[in-house]
Amino acid sequence: MKLPNYVSGRWSLGQGAGELLFDPVTGDELVSISSQGIDLEAALQFARARGGPALRELSYTQRADLLEKIAEALAANREEYFRLSLLNLGATQADASFDVDGAIYTMKYYAKIGRALAEGKMLKEGALVPLSKSNTFAGQHFLMPTKGAAVFINAFNFPAWGFCEKAAPALLAGVPIVVKPASPTAWLTHRMVEDIVKADILPPGAISIICDSARDLLEHAREEDIVSFTGSGDTAARIRSHANILGRSVRVNIEADSINSAILGPDSSPGTDLFDLLAKEVVREMTLKAGQKCTTIRRVLVPRQWLKAFGDAVSARLSSMKVGNPRNPEVKVGPVVNKAQQSSCLEGLAKLREESEVLFGGNKNFQPIDADLEKSSFVEPTLLSSKNGLRAKYVHDIEVFGPVATLVAYDSREDLIAVTRRGLGSLVASVFSNDLDFTRDTVPGIGDLHGRVLVVDSNVAGQHTGHGNVVPSCLHGGPGRAGGGEELAGLRALLLYHRRFVVQGPVNGIAELSKSCVDTALLYS
Ligand code: NAP
């Protein structure tokens, strides 16, 4: 079966045989996708000309109602999304839930908070700026939904959540969306879009999906469009430097890869609750979605004297995690998404091994449960230990996008901060400590190079949201290597889809314009 694209308000099959999608456990062929021959310029133009005006005719509240209906349509098909997650991603129930339930929750969350924007159609920012002695001529800053299209180019690891976390704020802002999921796992996103289209919730042109290569899509992006990308740093660099994107100053938001850290505080010695809690968190991070999360802990920074004890604690927990075919109810860890990702993980792992000791796993010929080694795409969960700190050659640079983490010893606060910052810009770092002085010095030492810092002490041990868990009410993104993008953070996410401008004019005219506006203060409440 070949999945059709949904562009210009209709389903269209791409030409040729297309690209095949596989089951990463059995190696079976599933469906194919093709964007060949699809008029992508016309697709974008249809979204701008038909979808945009129809969405902008509605108020924020009315669009929040659309999101609610989308969430309902998706929730009604949740079981099917779990089935596709198993088939195309080899996802366990927990892996699928993280992606699918996270997607539905995010859509519902934006439906709910979007209602706070009442009946407005534009945003008003700050107070009047006096520009004349008589105060009859003044300036007022506004933000209006852009009249372009939002192009979403997504990564393979979150076909459901990655789609919804971008779609919800864009649609709430009144901007039509053109979705380009990553090819290896496009089926699930495709099915979600199909369900939304079938439910007839959105006006024509408000949603489109292109499966397979992006081809010439970026050639046709325009000044009023937004490209929101999630994926590897290499692809991000290609998109950022695309001649048309540069030439037209198209707004681009990049969420890229990241070498995230978790820090064990010097007070959290072996035998303390935080020592055990971080060991548990590291294992959860390594194994959930087989470590294929952009936020996964890649480096665990541990006081040098406890390196061995911590390695033993994590290894003991890893040894009880069954790896294999998720159709077997005992299995807790599934495969990576395909053979290409498996090779990429094993190559990265080989480099890390050059400078690190293997504490657990690392066998590229290990036997997963109920799966054929030749046909499947598994990577054995592997824990490494680096004693080289800042001098390590690879551990701070290579993102092994699988169930792999490396312990890195630190000797002092300065050393710890320098090593954490060596990630050169990350999505998240977490600090496990009860020592307020330690936390107070560490967080400002690393905050500017991280999008999120999670602090866990004994009081919040049972309540924290988790190192790798992205919640829609808080910022997702990170500087430097992580791409420099910003997503979510509640209603702040709408800023990406609005353009700021200032009106300088008579005060009564500005008052008239302001009538249909919502105050931007609401975005921060
Ligand atoms: P990728 O290979 O960079 O691909 C990402 C997307 O870009 C895919 O949809 C891909 O399409 C598309 N693409 C590739 N070349 C393109 C081009 N020249 N023009 C336009 N689009 C192009 O990344 P991936 O392997 O799917 O995802 C894994 C990476 O994503 C990891 O490094 C991970 O850290 C990162 N990630 C980051 C976040 C975050 O929020 N920061 C979240 C999830 C994942 P095709 O699939 O058709 O090639």
Side-chain angles (χ1 to χ4, degrees):
M1 179 176 64
K2 186 156 62 172
L3 302 179
N5 303 283
Y6 187 70
V7 289
S8 303
R10 59 181 180 274
W11 293 101
S12 309
L13 275 179
Q15 295 164 356
E19 184 174 336
L20 279 168
L21 275 53
F22 295 93
D23 180 324
V25 177
T26 62
D28 290 347
E29 293 177 1
L30 298 171
V31 291
S32 69
I33 52 174
S34 168
S35 58
Q36 207 178 315
I38 300 295
D39 188 341
L40 301 179
E41 183 176 15
L44 282 176
Q45 188 45 31
F46 188 83
R48 289 183 205 111
R50 296 285 301 278
L55 284 172
R56 288 193 303 276
E57 213 162 88
L58 307 174
S59 64
Y60 292 103
T61 318
Q62 288 169 317
R63 293 193 294 263
D65 290 341
L66 297 183
L67 297 190
E68 181 65 40
K69 288 185 183 140
I70 291 175
E72 282 165 13
L74 297 179
N77 292 288
R78 179 175 173 271
E79 289 308 314
E80 175 64 3
Y81 305 151
F82 273 58
R83 189 182 75 85
L84 297 188
S85 300
L86 174 60
L87 275 178
N88 193 195
L89 287 104
T92 63
Q93 282 278 315
D95 297 343
S97 170
F98 201 76
D99 187 26
V100 172
D101 291 330
I104 297 169
Y105 176 76
T106 303
M107 196 55 80
K108 279 190 183 155
Y109 171 81
Y110 275 98
K112 187 167 156 217
I113 64 168
R115 297 210 174 85
L117 297 176
E119 290 307 312
K121 292 197 169 179
M122 207 164 82
L123 304 172
K124 181 168 77 84
E125 186 178 55
L128 272 179
V129 185
L131 293 173
S132 69
K133 282 189 184 146
S134 65
N135 274 343
T136 52
F137 180 75
Q140 175 67 56
H141 290 87
F142 293 98
L143 287 97
M144 71 183 304
T146 177
K147 294 192 169 65
V151 176
F152 300 155
I153 301 179
N154 269 331
F156 72 79
N157 56 332
F158 279 112
W161 176 82
F163 156 53
C164 286
E165 61 108 17
K166 290 187 196 301
L171 291 171
L172 184 58
V175 179
I177 60 176
V178 177
V179 185
K180 205 311 267 173
S183 294
T185 58
W187 197 8
L188 175 52
T189 319
H190 184 276
R191 180 59 204 256
M192 291 178 120
V193 171
E194 188 183 341
D195 290 333
I196 295 168
V197 171
K198 269 194 195 149
D200 200 17
I201 298 163
L202 294 170
I207 189 165
S208 312
I209 184 165
I210 299 152
C211 294
D212 185 22
S213 160
R215 297 193 190 278
D216 56 342
L217 186 63
L218 296 180
E219 298 287 332
H220 309 297
R222 291 204 326 216
E223 294 74 8
E224 60 272 62
D225 295 336
I226 291 125
V227 175
S228 181
F229 169 82
T230 299
S232 65
D234 289 346
T235 312
R238 279 203 292 283
I239 288 177
R240 223 192 271 283
S241 60
H242 187 283
N244 182 53
I245 298 291
L246 283 178
R248 290 177 181 264
S249 304
V250 177
R251 185 179 283 180
V252 176
N253 191 73
I254 303 274
E255 299 289 351
D257 52 31
S258 173
I259 306 286
N260 310 295
S261 313
I263 297 167
L264 185 70
D267 57 304
S268 307
S269 54
T272 61
D273 57 344
L274 291 183
F275 184 94
D276 292 339
L277 198 67
L278 181 55
K280 190 171 158 198
E281 190 72 1
V282 170
V283 172
R284 179 179 139 84
E285 285 290 306
M286 289 174 69
T287 53
L288 185 65
K289 290 178 70 57
Q292 299 169 104
K293 292 193 282 86
C294 50
T295 49
T296 295
I297 298 170
R298 304 293 172 199
R299 303 179 300 170
V300 194
L301 278 54
V302 181
R304 188 174 299 273
Q305 68 270 29
W306 298 327
L307 201 63
K308 174 153 183 352
F310 194 76
D312 289 347
V314 174
S315 300
R317 285 179 181 272
L318 279 175
S319 63
S320 68
M321 302 293 284
K322 298 224 166 32
V323 185
N325 187 337
R327 291 158 184 95
N328 181 323
E330 287 192 358
V331 161
K332 296 278 183 271
V333 191
V336 295
V337 80
N338 56 22
K339 285 277 178 201
Q341 281 303 315
Q342 184 190 39
S343 303
S344 159
C345 283
L346 294 178
E347 267 170 41
L349 191 50
K351 288 231 160 64
L352 296 186
R353 288 178 77 146
E354 284 178 27
E355 61 182 16
S356 312
E357 185 190 342
V358 177
L359 300 182
F360 184 90
N363 176 8
K364 64 179 180 180
N365 293 318
F366 90 110
Q367 181 55 55
I369 295 171
D370 292 349
D372 181 326
L373 201 58
E374 291 304 311
K375 292 181 181 162
S376 61
S377 308
F378 285 88
V379 173
E380 187 178 29
T382 303
L383 182 71
L384 303 155
S385 173
S386 163
K387 293 191 175 146
N388 299 336
L390 259 189
R391 292 190 316 280
K393 204 165 139 199
Y394 298 121
V395 69
H396 311 299
D397 292 314
I398 293 183
E399 181 201 44
V400 177
F401 206 59
V404 176
T406 306
L407 308 186
V408 182
Y410 72 86
D411 295 302
S412 64
R413 187 88 45 90
E414 296 68 34
D415 187 23
L416 167 70
I417 289 174
V419 174
T420 311
R421 294 180 70 85
R422 180 61 183 78
L424 305 181
S426 309
L427 295 171
V428 52
S430 51
V431 183
F432 283 64
S433 172
N434 280 324
D435 180 345
L436 276 180
D437 290 341
F438 174 77
T439 309
R440 192 195 55 228
D441 290 348
T442 304
V443 173
I446 61 175
D448 61 318
L449 273 183
H450 290 79
R452 177 163 64 90
V453 178
L454 172 82
V455 179
V456 180
D457 69 7
S458 296
N459 287 328
V460 299
Q463 298 165 45
H464 75 90
T465 46
H467 171 99
N469 203 6
V470 174
V471 292
S473 50
C474 292
L475 178 69
H476 175 57
R481 176 180 179 147
E486 293 196 352
E487 287 182 334
L488 300 173
L491 288 171
R492 292 175 189 84
L494 269 67
L495 294 173
L496 179 63
Y497 303 99
H498 285 72
R499 293 286 179 167
R500 178 179 287 110
F501 68 108
V502 62
V503 175
Q504 297 174 331
V507 168
N508 59 347
I510 289 176
E512 198 56 34
L513 265 176
S514 303
K515 278 183 186 163
S516 60
C517 290
V518 176
D519 201 298
T520 48
L522 273 173
L523 303 188
Y524 301 94
S525 59

